[in-house]
């Protein structure tokens, strides 16, 4: 035990060959050093892994969104032309349904080409 002259506190000390170190100071330095070492070793690795996971999730979401957009065009046209009202444009034309099917295929093809070009599919 060591008692400082200006204090009534007594502290435990660690005696080495060269110096006298208070144990509480040494313990706090060792804990801080341990936390710094563990933080510097694991944080960048963890952050890199999380960044990789987020990039992969963004790619997946883009692909899902592109496939939904491809399905939405024909679904919209089929919904409109499936309403069975009296004055439908294709009823007066012999090839009306084929024209509508061609518009659906063209719309889907254009969307597919644009998504492929922008690397979403």
């Amino acid at each position: 035990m060591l008692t400082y002259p200006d204090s009534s506190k007594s502290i435990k000390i660690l005696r080495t060959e060269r110096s006298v170190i208070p144990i509480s100071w040494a313990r706090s330095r060792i804990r801080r050093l341990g936390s710094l070492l563990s933080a510097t070793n694991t944080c960048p690795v963890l952050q890199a892994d999380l960044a990789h996971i987020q990039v992969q999730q963004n790619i997946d979401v883009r692909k899902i969104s592109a496939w939904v957009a491809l399905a939405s065009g024909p679904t919209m046209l089929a919904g409109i032309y499936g309403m069975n009202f009296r004055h439908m444009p294709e009823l007066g034309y012999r090839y009306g349904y084929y024209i509508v099917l061609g518009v659906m295929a063209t719309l889907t093809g254009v969307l597919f080409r644009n998504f492929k070009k922008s690397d979403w599919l």
Side-chain angles (χ1 to χ4, degrees):
M1 293 280 209
L2 177 69
T3 305
Y4 288 109
D6 60 340
S7 167
S8 62
K9 290 184 179 179
S10 60
I11 60 170
K12 293 181 182 178
I13 58 169
L14 176 65
R15 292 187 188 268
T16 62
E17 294 176 4
R18 297 183 183 171
S19 63
V20 176
I21 303 171
I23 291 178
S24 61
W25 180 84
R27 187 179 297 140
S28 69
R29 294 297 175 182
I30 291 171
R31 283 184 185 154
R32 182 166 182 208
L33 181 63
S35 66
L36 286 174
L37 288 175
S38 67
T40 56
N41 287 338
T42 58
C43 283
V45 173
L46 182 61
Q47 288 174 353
D49 188 42
L50 289 175
H52 177 70
I53 290 170
Q54 287 176 346
V55 167
Q56 187 60 43
Q57 286 177 343
N58 287 341
I59 291 170
D60 293 343
V61 168
R62 280 192 307 186
K63 288 183 180 185
I64 292 168
S65 300
W67 285 111
V68 168
L70 285 174
S72 67
T75 302
M76 178 190 66
L77 287 174
I80 290 171
Y81 280 94
M83 287 191 222
N84 295 327
F85 51 89
R86 185 178 293 244
H87 301 290
M88 293 175 64
E90 76 274 359
L91 291 179
Y93 300 109
R94 181 175 178 174
Y95 300 107
Y97 280 110
Y98 301 114
I99 291 171
V100 171
L101 290 175
V103 169
M104 285 182 189
T106 303
L107 176 65
T108 304
V110 168
L111 285 173
F112 184 80
R113 182 179 54 98
N114 289 342
F115 285 135
K116 259 311 204 195
K117 188 185 289 186
S118 65
D119 200 31
W120 276 41
L121 288 177

